[in-house]
Amino acid sequence: MESRPTIVQHTAATRTRPSVPPEMPALVGKSVAGEALVTDWGDVSGATQWVTVHWPHDHPFYTEGGRYSPLLFTESARQALTVLSHAVHGVPLGHRFGMERIRTSVNSGELLTTSGPPEVDLLITHTSVTRRRLGSAHLVSQVEARRGGRHLGTAELHYTSHPPALYDRLRGRYADAAQAFARALPLLPPAPTAVVGRLHERDVVISPAGAPDHWQLRTDTGHRVLFDHPHDHVPGMVLLEAAVQATRATLPHPAVPVAFDSTFLRYVEFDQPCLLTTTPAPPTPDGHPRTHIRATQSGTPVFTTTLTTEPHPA
C-alpha cells in the first residue's frame, strides 16, 4: 500500500490520451485499438502491480449524459488482469480466459466525466494463482482503483485460463467463434431506451419477454464495442450490461448501479434464447436497493448477479 502515492504521482500528470503500445489491443483481447484502455503498468511487489488505464472522455458505449458507466471500471480491471496474467504470471499468449466470479463496488461521485483526470490507477494483488493439469490456471485478484488520487472502486475477480487445445475440447461444437457468430439468433426488438437508461437503440441488450420482470438477451453481433471481434460465446460484459438494463427496467425510478456480485455458471450460447428474470433482494444495511438477476438457457442457470443501486442524481 505504501506505493500508492507514487503510482498516483506517476500517472496524474497525464491529461491527454497517451500512446497505447502497439501490442496492447491483442494483449487485452480487443481488435480495435481505441478499445484498449491499458497504457502502462509496473511492479510493486511479486504479487502486486500497478496498472494505468485511460478512460476516454466520450466513449461511444460507456459514457452517457456526462457519466461513465460503472462497467467501465469492470472492463478496465478485466483488461488489466489479462495483461498481468501474461506479463507477470506466465500465462502464454493465446490462452483463453473466462470469468467465474466478479464482485465490484464503485464510488458513483467519481463517475462524472468532469470529476477528474482521464487516467485511472489500479492497484492489483493476485491473492491466489493455482496451476492446474494440462496447462490451465485459476487466479484470484483484488483491485483498488483511484482517480485523481480519490477512491473510485474495489473489485474481486476469480478467473481461469485454458490452453487453446483444452479450451476447444471444453467448447466442443461451439469452439469456432466465426461459426458461433453465424448461428446467432435473429436480432430481437429492443426494450425502450428510456426504460433501460440508454440513449440509443443500438446499445440496448435486452428485449421484452412478456412480463415486467422477464427479458430476453438481445445480442447484436455487429455492435462495434461489445463484439469488436467474433466470440464463441456471449461475453461476460454483455451479461453484466443486460443485468443493469433489466434492473433499470424493473425499478420505479432512474438508478445508478454501484455494486455487483456476479457468478458466471456456464457459457452463454448465441444460438439459444437466454432469459433474464429480476426479483427484489434485501436492501443493503444502509438502505440501498438491491435486485437479483438470474439468466437461464434451456432452463439451466447460466449467470446470476445481485446489483446494488443508488438513485440517479437529478
Side-chain angles (χ1 to χ4, degrees), residues 19-64:
S19 60
V20 177
E23 70 278 8
M24 193 59 72
L27 283 175
V28 302
K30 290 292 183 181
S31 62
V32 177
E35 294 302 319
L37 304 174
V38 176
T39 59
D40 201 4
W41 72 273
D43 272 314
V44 176
S45 67
T48 302
Q49 287 75 39
W50 58 264
V51 178
T52 303
V53 296
H54 179 94
W55 283 10
H57 179 75
D58 187 18
H59 190 277
F61 183 76
Y62 289 117
T63 60
E64 281 194 336

Side-chain angles (χ1 to χ4, degrees), residues 8-314:
V8 172
Q9 291 168 11
H10 174 81
T11 60
T14 305
R15 292 293 180 268
T16 58
R17 172 70 164 170
S19 60
V20 177
E23 70 278 8
M24 193 59 72
L27 283 175
V28 302
K30 290 292 183 181
S31 62
V32 177
E35 294 302 319
L37 304 174
V38 176
T39 59
D40 201 4
W41 72 273
D43 272 314
V44 176
S45 67
T48 302
Q49 287 75 39
W50 58 264
V51 178
T52 303
V53 296
H54 179 94
W55 283 10
H57 179 75
D58 187 18
H59 190 277
F61 183 76
Y62 289 117
T63 60
E64 281 194 336
R67 298 183 66 87
Y68 291 111
S69 164
L71 291 183
L72 187 57
F73 169 49
T74 308
E75 173 63 12
S76 299
R78 185 201 68 78
Q79 291 193 19
L81 293 180
T82 303
V83 172
L84 297 181
S85 296
H86 294 312
V88 176
H89 298 290
V91 174
L93 292 174
H95 278 218
R96 306 295 294 275
F97 290 95
M99 288 294 173
E100 295 182 351
R101 188 178 184 191
I102 300 177
R103 299 174 65 187
T104 63
S105 64
V106 296
N107 175 3
S108 61
E110 294 301 320
L111 295 178
L112 292 172
T113 58
T114 56
S115 68
E119 272 65 54
V120 171
D121 307 305
L122 307 177
L123 191 66
I124 299 176
T125 299
H126 277 86
T127 56
S128 174
V129 180
T130 304
R131 312 290 177 177
R132 294 177 172 173
R133 292 180 61 249
L134 305 178
S136 295
H138 181 266
L139 304 96
V140 180
S141 66
Q142 303 285 339
V143 182
E144 295 183 43
R146 289 179 173 261
R147 184 180 178 200
R150 297 181 302 275
H151 174 72
L152 169 65
T154 60
E156 178 184 311
L157 300 96
H158 300 237
Y159 62 107
T160 58
S161 73
H162 295 299
L166 177 57
Y167 183 83
D168 287 350
R169 288 205 299 272
L170 290 172
R171 296 293 290 135
R173 69 187 186 94
Y174 289 107
D176 187 280
Q179 291 181 15
F181 257 31
R183 290 196 297 261
L185 296 176
L187 195 59
L188 297 168
T193 53
V195 169
V196 300
R198 279 291 180 174
L199 294 177
H200 306 289
E201 285 190 352
R202 67 173 182 265
D203 295 330
V204 178
V205 297
I206 60 174
S207 182
D213 57 351
H214 288 68
W215 307 90
Q216 185 166 331
L217 189 65
R218 179 179 185 266
T219 51
D220 179 2
T221 57
H223 195 288
R224 297 191 64 185
V225 174
L226 297 177
F227 302 102
D228 78 325
H229 63 279
H231 294 260
D232 65 282
H233 64 275
V234 178
M237 293 301 298
V238 177
L239 298 175
L240 291 172
E241 177 65 26
V244 170
Q245 294 186 16
T247 297
R248 285 174 166 163
T250 301
L251 295 176
H253 52 77
V256 177
V258 293
F260 296 80
D261 188 348
S262 309
T263 303
F264 301 87
L265 301 168
R266 299 175 67 90
Y267 295 108
V268 178
E269 314 298 355
F270 287 101
D271 63 353
Q272 304 170 38
C274 179
L275 301 178
L276 297 98
T277 58
T278 61
T279 55
T284 63
D286 54 0
H288 290 308
R290 294 197 303 170
T291 303
H292 183 71
I293 300 94
R294 181 173 182 262
T296 61
Q297 269 192 333
S298 300
T300 300
V302 292
F303 165 73
T304 65
T305 188
T306 300
L307 198 158
T308 303
T309 58
E310 294 177 355
H312 196 290

